[in-house]
């Protein structure tokens, strides 16, 4: 079993990046690339544990704290969704926190969203402009 886990981790992590999440805001693409080293440093959530190592509330707080580093006007962004997502390596999970910017103008407009990846150790994978 352990050999299978090690082999699957090596196969998935050959290029150093295990996952990339994309967001597009006003025509600008943002990417959050999760490296194998970052994922391996985070605690695992095994089937014997009732709750993940990082609570939903703590994941949301970490994402909210990172928001000012990512967007110019964080006060315009509202929380939209929180998703617990499994990764390809067994017992590894991340939180995906989604924020929506409030449309400006009297008629509203197209809603923009931003996804922030939070690891089970509370580390935020900050999206970068591409």
């Amino acid at each position: 079993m352990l050999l299978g886990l090690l082999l699957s981790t090596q196969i998935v992590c050959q290029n150093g990046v295990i996952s990339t999440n994309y967001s597009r805001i006003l025509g600008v693409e943002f990417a959050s690339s999760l490296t194998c080293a970052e994922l391996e440093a985070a605690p695992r959530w095994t089937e014997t544990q009732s709750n993940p190592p990082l609570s939903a509330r703590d994941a949301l707080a970490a994402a909210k704290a990172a928001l000012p580093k990512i967007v110019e006007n964080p006060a315009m962004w509202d929380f939209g969704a929180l998703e617990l997502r499994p990764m390809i390596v067994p017992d590894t999970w991340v939180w995906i926190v989604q924020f929506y910017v409030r449309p400006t103008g009297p008629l509203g407009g197209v809603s923009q969203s931003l996804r922030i990846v939070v690891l089970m150790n509370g580390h935020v994978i900050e999206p970068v402009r591409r």
Side-chain angles (χ1 to χ4, degrees):
M1 174 82 169
L2 181 58
L3 179 59
L5 176 61
L6 291 175
L7 289 176
S8 69
T9 303
Q10 288 174 347
I11 291 168
V12 170
C13 292
Q14 283 181 349
N15 66 355
V17 174
I18 195 165
S19 174
T20 303
N21 281 281
Y22 297 96
S23 299
R24 185 175 283 291
I25 304 168
L26 300 174
V28 177
E29 188 172 69
F30 287 81
S32 301
S33 294
L34 173 59
T35 68
C36 300
E38 290 169 322
L39 188 62
E40 289 170 6
R44 305 233 184 225
W45 183 26
T46 65
E47 291 182 15
T48 60
Q49 298 170 300
S50 298
N51 296 305
L54 185 70
S55 71
R57 191 167 305 280
D58 289 343
L60 179 58
K64 282 183 176 179
L67 197 58
K69 300 175 199 171
I70 303 165
V71 297
E72 291 179 16
N73 192 350
M76 299 262 323
W77 292 82
D78 295 321
F79 168 69
L82 186 62
E83 174 189 351
L84 188 55
R85 184 179 295 173
M87 302 307 293
I88 195 165
V89 177
D91 297 331
T92 58
W93 296 74
V94 298
W95 288 103
I96 307 294
V97 184
Q98 190 163 13
F99 293 95
Y100 293 94
V101 68
R102 280 180 244 122
T104 57
L107 300 177
V110 177
S111 179
Q112 305 288 319
S113 68
L114 175 68
R115 289 183 296 277
I116 298 176
V117 178
V118 182
L119 302 179
M120 287 297 152
N121 57 6
H123 177 71
V124 173
I125 307 300
E126 293 182 17
V128 294
R129 292 175 188 247
R130 290 190 48 158

